[in-house]
Amino acid sequence: MINNDVINEIRNKSDIVSIISNYVPLTKRGKNYFGVCPFHDDHSPSMSVSPEKQIYTCFSCGATGNVFTFVSEYEHISFIEAVKLLGNKLGYNLTTHEKVDTKSGDYKIYEIASKFYQNNLNSSLGKKAIEYLENRGLNRETIKKFGIGLSLNKSSLTELLINKGIKLDKLIELGLSNTMSNDLFLNRIMFPLYDLNGNVVAFSGRIYNMKDNSKYINTKETSIFKKGNLLYNYHNAREHLKKNDYVIIMEGFMDVIRASTVGINNCVATMGTAFTKEQANIIRKMTDNVILCFDGDKAGEEATISAIKVLEDIEINPKIIRLEDDLDPDEYIIKNGKEAFLNKIDTSINVIDYKLSLLKKNKNFHNLEDISEYIDNSIKELVKVNDDILVELTLKKFEAEYKIDYEILKKKYETYNNKKDIKEVKVVKNNKKVITIYEKAERSLIYYMLKSVDVLTLVEHNISYFPSMEIRYLSNEIIDFYHKYGKIDVADFISFISSKEELLKVLYEILNMDMKDEYTNLEIEDYISVIKKYFKKSKISKLEKSLKEETDPLKQAKILSEIMAVKGVK
Ligand SMILES: [Zn+2]
């Protein structure tokens, strides 16, 4: 365990705006910063970050917290691991968690497996496979660079690892063996898949000398292999960015390997999944200059469109390469060579030109209806562009090309643009929960207790008990925190209750309430009296219930006078 004072000290030194900026681009508006929320499918900046309070809140999905909860949620690590991560960056020497050690054991197993496969390929058993690879234009240097290996026709990997003292259960869990103690990969050329740090975490095995229904088989997802969180060749491509400050995203690892054979090394691959938000954020850490080069077929076109959306959400405007004849980059480079592919890179187009080219497909530009539909759809696309100059230029281009008055085009653009704003506001409103007057009062009191010691003291002396259990606990924790540290600080308070998930949930709801920053004493007194009334009412209804059940007239009279007494207290 790490001491609370150390946690607060690290938090104090880790400015939330600069830490979150490493993950999500933030723009300053007023006194807060805004960015696209990484915790829900966000299309406009819904997350605000307060440099003053050192917390973030998403007004759409409700994600809230301090710098540690952000890193913990984003990196999928525990709160304490996030503290350690940020602390160690600042030069604290906080020992790493046990969980990381088990992971490093898993990496070790994959490293042994990868070496084993590579040795097989280099042995006499690998002759045919080497021939096959060389025929496909992958020479020894490429084979070595990408760690390509070979699995054999018996369960020799499982044997080797069990002899090294690794349990079969572990090998099954890691997707290397089955319950019969057999290797999962047999007779295949093995392509290791790497995580962002260059650890081997999975394999893709390709057939080469036999017929099989599945050309490739891949390791299942495991604790160290989550497809959507990885980009093939990231660890190598990152090194090449210093020379060429752009990255090319492809679909398959063979595309990336092929590009490297003609000296293009700044490529990564999504490995057959749709391009994810996690992958987009990884890219953003590398560079803002992105080229999408997916397969030339229809599926590749759809993948391109959805990747554009994911990238635009984090304010990256990619360039696009489309390949003819349904070719993938691997096939294209084999067929047309290096120069042709370099030319493709040089002539990659921007997103709006790409989208307009798609809209032009199957349209007859001698037909007025088709023209009108094309312009209408194009303007709808333009609304999504965050670049005023590009919008202006495109509208001018339409004016010249189709002889339509500029003002008409502009007006249409503005109509769609206004509709977009209205839609965004609606989403936010629908997310607000309906709460009772008592809940409103108790939640408002908690909100202002976290802002002001005066309110905290008033609540401490006037309310012994909140109606809702979680608010009662939360209020006790706030009062405890204050007595321990002599001050109130929301960001540190979040750390203080970080192990109490239920309380955090309520706290986040409260921090997300639409409250004014200022309050008057009258408002606070009102809230307190609403809470007091609640108890009075519930006390009376309890007494009235027992009055009904009571048959003894003497006792009845006693209850009655109690009721009068409670009612009489103003
Ligand atoms: Zn959100």
Side-chain angles (χ1 to χ4, degrees):
M1 277 313 285
I2 305 172
N3 179 307
N4 259 324
D5 292 329
V6 176
I7 294 178
N8 296 348
E9 198 179 296
I10 295 170
R11 200 206 49 72
N12 241 306
K13 291 179 183 169
S14 308
D15 176 54
I16 194 163
V17 174
S18 63
I19 301 282
I20 293 186
S21 296
N22 292 332
Y23 297 93
V24 178
L26 297 176
T27 325
K28 193 162 191 227
R29 226 189 290 148
K31 56 178 187 172
N32 291 333
Y33 288 77
F34 289 82
V36 167
C37 172
F39 306 119
H40 79 277
D41 189 18
D42 198 7
H43 298 288
S44 59
S46 309
M47 183 181 66
S48 87
V49 183
S50 161
E52 180 200 344
K53 294 183 198 157
Q54 291 287 311
I55 61 171
Y56 63 94
T57 48
C58 171
F59 61 75
S60 189
C61 74
T64 307
N66 64 11
V67 69
F68 299 130
T69 57
F70 185 93
V71 171
S72 124
E73 292 288 318
Y74 194 97
E75 304 267 9
H76 304 288
I77 54 179
S78 71
F79 183 88
I80 285 298
E81 281 171 320
V83 172
K84 285 173 180 166
L85 188 78
L86 293 179
N88 288 338
K89 270 188 197 160
L90 289 167
Y92 287 77
N93 194 8
L94 306 165
T95 46
T96 36
H97 200 257
E98 216 179 293
K99 208 175 149 198
V100 178
D101 290 333
T102 17
K103 263 196 184 170
S104 76
D106 295 347
Y107 295 139
K108 195 94 206 140
I109 293 170
Y110 262 93
E111 198 185 309
I112 296 168
S114 181
K115 286 264 156 57
F116 173 76
Y117 290 143
Q118 288 177 57
N119 286 336
N120 291 341
L121 187 67
N122 288 323
S123 74
S124 58
L125 297 166
K127 247 179 111 187
K128 274 231 169 87
I130 291 268
E131 241 168 60
Y132 171 88
L133 288 167
E134 282 178 342
N135 279 336
R136 295 192 40 130
L138 305 181
N139 60 21
R140 295 271 181 172
E141 194 196 327
T142 305
I143 290 171
K144 191 158 177 240
K145 183 173 169 191
F146 291 95
I148 301 169
L150 179 71
S151 58
L152 304 175
N153 60 0
K154 54 189 187 80
S155 293
S156 27
L157 178 68
T158 306
E159 258 171 50
L160 173 85
L161 290 169
I162 284 180
N163 283 339
K164 283 189 182 288
I166 295 151
K167 297 226 162 60
L168 181 63
D169 282 351
K170 188 78 204 168
L171 300 179
I172 296 168
E173 182 197 312
L174 287 176
L176 290 169
S177 312
N178 66 16
T179 50
M180 314 281 289
S181 297
N182 294 326
D183 287 9
L184 279 185
F185 292 96
L186 293 170
N187 263 324
R188 283 171 182 265
I189 291 178
M190 301 299 288
F191 295 89
L193 307 179
Y194 301 87
D195 70 7
L196 303 180
N197 298 316
N199 299 308
V200 179
V201 290
F203 291 103
S204 184
R206 193 195 195 286
I207 43 161
Y208 72 102
N209 65 349
M210 54 170 186
K211 285 223 175 336
D212 193 304
N213 287 334
S214 36
K215 202 158 104 181
Y216 285 100
I217 53 173
N218 297 321
T219 308
K220 61 170 188 175
E221 296 223 329
T222 64
S223 59
I224 56 169
F225 176 49
K226 301 261 183 288
K227 268 197 204 167
N229 292 341
L230 300 186
L231 281 166
Y232 182 76
N233 202 40
Y234 170 83
H235 62 294
N236 285 325
R238 198 171 42 180
E239 298 302 311
H240 289 275
L241 285 188
K242 287 159 208 139
K243 231 173 12 187
N244 299 311
D245 186 28
Y246 66 92
V247 63
I248 305 177
I249 308 176
M250 300 171 160
E251 281 184 59
F253 63 83
M254 260 318 293
D255 301 323
V256 169
I257 295 175
R258 180 68 57 201
S260 130
T261 66
V262 295
I264 303 166
N265 291 303
N266 44 338
C267 303
V268 296
T270 58
M271 296 188 298
T273 58
F275 187 64
T276 64
K277 199 174 228 181
E278 285 78 14
Q279 290 170 329
N281 280 315
I282 297 163
I283 292 283
R284 210 188 65 82
K285 282 184 218 165
M286 299 172 83
T287 174
D288 284 344
N289 304 319
V290 176
I291 300 179
L292 293 172
C293 182
F294 291 168
D295 297 357
D297 58 5
K298 184 78 190 155
E301 181 180 297
E302 279 158 18
T304 305
I305 295 167
S306 83
I308 288 173
K309 211 168 147 240
V310 176
L311 286 166
E312 282 181 338
D313 282 349
I314 56 164
E315 286 168 27
I316 288 180
N317 293 308
K319 294 231 167 167
I320 320 292
I321 294 175
R322 295 298 297 143
L323 303 171
E324 300 83 25
D325 306 325
D326 289 0
L327 296 177
D328 63 30
D330 176 27
E331 296 161 333
Y332 185 91
I333 293 168
I334 292 174
K335 192 177 165 200
N336 302 300
K338 177 180 180 174
E339 289 310 315
F341 191 69
L342 285 176
N343 185 47
K344 278 279 174 196
I345 297 174
D346 287 340
T347 56
S348 56
I349 59 174
N350 68 37
V351 169
I352 192 72
D353 283 340
Y354 172 63
K355 284 183 176 170
L356 298 191
S357 77
L358 289 179
L359 291 171
K360 265 188 183 160
K361 273 190 186 171
N362 308 322
K363 287 261 182 306
N364 173 3
F365 281 84
H366 297 294
N367 179 332
L368 290 181
E369 265 176 35
D370 273 19
I371 295 178
S372 157
E373 196 187 325
Y374 164 70
I375 292 188
D376 195 57
N377 289 332
S378 301
I379 291 177
K380 279 183 194 158
E381 284 301 333
L382 266 185
V383 164
K384 299 175 198 159
V385 175
N386 285 325
D387 182 340
D388 291 345
I389 296 170
L390 198 57
V391 169
E392 207 65 13
L393 287 174
T394 313
L395 293 179
K396 290 250 162 74
K397 205 171 96 187
F398 288 155
E399 181 186 33
E401 222 168 295
Y402 303 102
K403 310 274 177 293
I404 303 168
D405 188 48
Y406 173 82
E407 288 307 317
I408 293 175
L409 293 167
K410 183 79 186 173
K411 213 169 150 193
K412 191 147 208 155
Y413 172 81
E414 261 146 24
T415 313
Y416 286 134
N417 206 25
N418 290 341
K419 268 191 198 151
K420 180 184 97 175
D421 291 344
I422 292 165
K423 234 199 223 154
E424 280 163 10
V425 174
K426 254 191 195 155
V427 175
V428 178
K429 279 201 173 146
N430 287 344
N431 268 326
K432 293 276 176 259
K433 221 166 105 181
V434 183
I435 56 173
T436 68
I437 177 174
Y438 303 113
E439 284 170 331
K440 165 88 181 157
E442 48 181 17
R443 283 163 184 248
S444 302
L445 284 173
I446 296 284
Y447 187 90
Y448 291 118
M449 279 170 85
L450 291 166
K451 275 188 93 69
S452 144
V453 171
D454 292 344
V455 178
L456 185 143
T457 314
L458 260 179
V459 169
E460 192 183 5
H461 294 140
N462 286 286
I463 297 179
S464 46
Y465 219 70
F466 276 106
S468 319
M469 191 178 65
E470 66 269 28
I471 298 290
R472 206 177 306 150
Y473 287 143
L474 202 51
S475 146
N476 288 342
E477 295 280 359
I478 295 171
I479 292 166
D480 276 358
F481 180 93
Y482 173 64
H483 288 306
K484 189 161 178 213
Y485 295 102
K487 60 169 187 163
I488 277 298
D489 184 306
V490 185
D492 284 338
F493 180 65
I494 291 170
S495 301
F496 188 68
I497 57 166
S498 65
S499 59
K500 295 166 182 159
E501 266 177 49
E502 281 308 300
L503 291 190
L504 276 175
K505 214 180 121 213
V506 183
L507 174 69
Y508 293 159
E509 281 172 20
I510 292 170
L511 292 174
N512 259 299
M513 291 195 313
D514 211 357
M515 301 288 286
K516 348 175 242 142
D517 271 352
E518 301 305 317
Y519 62 87
T520 62
N521 286 341
L522 206 65
E523 283 166 335
I524 300 300
E525 281 161 22
D526 265 352
Y527 292 138
I528 292 178
S529 81
V530 167
I531 305 291
K532 285 188 168 164
K533 259 186 215 144
Y534 173 88
F535 282 109
K536 207 157 126 182
K537 263 180 100 174
S538 63
K539 203 169 186 181
I540 291 170
S541 72
K542 234 189 232 158
L543 287 169
E544 282 172 345
K545 201 174 159 229
S546 49
L547 182 65
K548 265 189 202 156
E549 284 160 5
E550 191 53 68
T551 46
D552 180 348
L554 264 178
K555 281 182 181 165
Q556 277 179 343
K558 199 178 162 254
I559 295 171
L560 207 58
S561 69
E562 263 182 69
I563 292 175
M564 300 307 281
V566 175
K567 278 188 177 170
V569 180
K570 288 274 163 187

